[in-house]
Amino acid sequence: MAEVRSLNIDDACDGILVQSPLPKALGKAVEQEVFDTIDPAKDVDCFHPANIGRLTQGRAVLAPCTPSGVIELLVREGIAIAGQRAVVIGRSEIVGKPMALLLLQRDATVTICHSRTKDLPAVAATADILVAAIGRPGFVTPAFVKPGAAVVDVGINPITVRQDVVTLFGAESPRVATFDSKGSVIAGDVHPAVAEVAGALTPVPGGVGPLTIAMLLKNTVIAAEQRST
Amino acid sequence: MAEVRSLNIDDACDGILVQSPLPKALGKAVEQEVFDTIDPAKDVDCFHPANIGRLTQGRAVLAPCTPSGVIELLVREGIAIAGQRAVVIGRSEIVGKPMALLLLQRDATVTICHSRTKDLPAVAATADILVAAIGRPGFVTPAFVKPGAAVVDVGINPITVRQDVVTLFGAESPRVATFDSKGSVIAGDVHPAVAEVAGALTPVPGGVGPLTIAMLLKNTVIAAEQRST
């Protein structure tokens, strides 16, 4: 907390991102207090309630990096958002909810799904744009995907059991060799078989992840510019 | 603005609600500035971005009155929310968006529709709970409603043309007599014929409207209690 306060008043610091989750021993209340302490003008991943409020109102200066990256990706790939059905699986503060709000702001018809959603594959399959942010490797199978839909895989899940890699990617996959040399591989929330159904699909790793970093730098530049005017 | 500032520091004032919309001549920017000026601790209709952020994060102390009233109504009527499909038509800052967030917080699978939504009746007809907050009299016809769904009508639309009353409610309706004596009647966003399809339907007037006022008083008491502790 003291560190955040000192960065708040340090003029050489333009952006503050507290990597969550904080150690569990601290508890949720302390974690929230830390986020609430960040100067909203330096809050480059949009954790402060005042910034989330502005995001909800569609007038965010700093938007959360991962969802902003997804919007940037859809726009650059020429994928229409306005008037399209978008389904977001996952309702986290850091991805799911802001993702839904940004898609809504771009005039998509947005549905937010989560662990309590009934008939999840059927609901997901209504989507023209499907965003998976659940945190379970290979959870989104072809049954979740309308043929031709754009599928954005936000999941970054380490797999540390060899058999799980073989089951998910197949014994012939280069990922098995990667596992054998590194002892783990990264898998997204989307099952590899979805590639045969989707119109477009972001890879994991190398898809949304690098974009998130890019948006973080962009937000830091915006924050610096705002503070200097 | 000066009035809001003086109420902010007036200890005898527990709650501030600026009735929107403000006169159009003032412009949107000034209206937003007025809302942003309200002390979040006295912001009993949840207009301040810090309060909207807390609402989005699911930790609101003061939630917007109309959507809170709708939740209260569903709970009191014993209508299940968790795991149900909810569709909100309308994405205003004051009803649509916070309504969607509160339904999500109660574990509904939530879809937000708006003027750019394609096949709106079909999307609406997926709902177990349908909330209409559009501002167009009789807009939601039976084609929008799954048989047995709970339909909440947030619309409060004055009708000032006699023929419109006859068209919407029928020549035999008591509303025609009301019109003849008063020169106008109030109609909701939901068409009267929906009563034959819906499992439950809030009336207009007399439905959500009075609940909004009750929630406003409740929020004012909460705000007063919070400030005195």
Side-chain angles (χ1 to χ4, degrees):
Chain A
M1 210 89 80
E3 181 63 25
V4 170
R5 282 207 196 88
S6 89
L7 288 171
N8 279 345
I9 56 171
D10 179 354
D11 200 50
C13 164
D14 290 313
I16 302 171
L17 182 153
V18 177
Q19 191 73 50
S20 75
L22 293 182
K24 270 202 176 158
L26 288 173
K28 271 282 166 200
V30 171
E31 178 166 299
Q32 192 62 64
E33 213 181 322
V34 171
F35 293 148
D36 290 358
T37 304
I38 299 171
D39 178 354
K42 296 185 176 183
D43 175 29
V44 288
D45 205 11
C46 194
F47 278 122
H48 194 282
N51 283 336
I52 295 174
R54 297 177 72 91
L55 177 78
T56 305
Q57 292 176 322
R59 55 182 182 121
V61 177
L62 300 170
C65 298
T66 300
S68 306
V70 172
I71 296 288
E72 185 82 17
L73 182 145
L74 294 171
V75 169
R76 290 199 183 197
E77 291 295 318
I79 291 164
I81 304 175
Q84 302 299 294
R85 295 288 305 266
V87 173
V88 178
I89 312 180
R91 54 173 162 174
S92 69
E93 303 305 332
I94 188 167
V95 181
K97 283 187 202 171
M99 185 77 254
L101 289 163
L102 288 178
L103 286 164
L104 179 64
Q105 201 177 313
R106 295 254 178 181
D107 295 329
T109 298
V110 183
T111 302
I112 314 183
C113 299
H114 44 79
S115 56
R116 300 291 302 272
T117 294
K118 290 178 189 159
D119 301 326
L120 180 53
V123 177
T126 64
D128 303 302
I129 299 169
L130 179 62
V131 180
I134 312 134
R136 290 171 63 178
F139 182 78
V140 173
T141 60
F144 288 64
V145 180
K146 174 157 82 177
V151 180
V152 180
D153 190 350
V154 179
I156 298 180
N157 311 293
I159 304 189
T160 54
V161 175
R162 191 177 193 277
Q163 184 53 47
D164 292 349
V165 181
V166 173
T167 305
L168 190 56
F169 294 101
E172 306 303 314
S173 165
R175 304 235 188 180
V176 177
T178 306
F179 182 91
D180 288 338
S181 71
K182 293 195 178 176
S184 75
V185 294
I186 297 295
D189 289 345
V190 176
H191 195 282
V194 166
E196 289 153 39
V197 186
L201 171 63
T202 65
V204 175
V208 173
L211 259 171
T212 297
I213 311 297
M215 298 312 284
L216 182 60
L217 291 175
K218 186 179 168 189
N219 272 351
T220 307
V221 172
I222 292 172
E225 284 173 353
Q226 290 274 324
R227 286 201 312 123
S228 69
T229 52
Chain B
M1 210 88 82
E3 181 63 26
V4 170
R5 284 207 193 90
S6 89
L7 288 170
N8 279 347
I9 56 169
D10 179 355
D11 199 52
C13 164
D14 291 312
I16 302 171
L17 181 153
V18 177
Q19 191 72 51
S20 74
L22 294 181
K24 270 201 175 159
L26 288 173
K28 272 283 166 200
V30 171
E31 179 167 298
Q32 194 60 64
E33 213 181 323
V34 170
F35 294 148
D36 289 358
T37 304
I38 299 171
D39 178 354
K42 296 187 176 184
D43 175 29
V44 288
D45 205 10
C46 195
F47 278 121
H48 194 282
N51 284 335
I52 295 175
R54 297 178 70 91
L55 176 78
T56 304
Q57 292 176 322
R59 55 181 183 123
V61 176
L62 300 170
C65 298
T66 300
S68 305
V70 171
I71 297 288
E72 185 83 17
L73 182 146
L74 293 171
V75 170
R76 290 200 182 197
E77 292 295 318
I79 292 165
I81 303 175
Q84 303 297 295
R85 295 287 306 265
V87 173
V88 178
I89 312 179
R91 53 174 162 173
S92 69
E93 302 305 330
I94 189 167
V95 181
K97 283 188 202 170
M99 184 77 254
L101 289 164
L102 289 178
L103 287 164
L104 179 65
Q105 202 177 314
R106 296 252 177 184
D107 295 327
T109 299
V110 183
T111 302
I112 314 183
C113 299
H114 44 80
S115 56
R116 300 290 301 272
T117 295
K118 289 177 190 160
D119 301 325
L120 180 53
V123 177
T126 64
D128 304 303
I129 299 168
L130 180 62
V131 180
I134 313 134
R136 289 171 63 178
F139 182 78
V140 173
T141 60
F144 287 64
V145 180
K146 174 157 82 176
V151 180
V152 179
D153 189 350
V154 179
I156 298 180
N157 310 294
I159 303 188
T160 54
V161 175
R162 191 178 193 276
Q163 185 53 47
D164 292 348
V165 181
V166 172
T167 304
L168 190 55
F169 294 102
E172 306 302 314
S173 164
R175 305 237 186 176
V176 178
T178 305
F179 182 91
D180 287 339
S181 71
K182 292 195 177 175
S184 75
V185 295
I186 297 295
D189 289 345
V190 177
H191 195 281
V194 166
E196 288 152 41
V197 186
L201 171 63
T202 65
V204 175
V208 174
L211 260 171
T212 297
I213 310 297
M215 298 312 284
L216 182 61
L217 291 174
K218 185 180 168 187
N219 271 352
T220 306
V221 172
I222 292 171
E225 283 172 354
Q226 291 274 324
R227 284 203 312 124
S228 68
T229 51

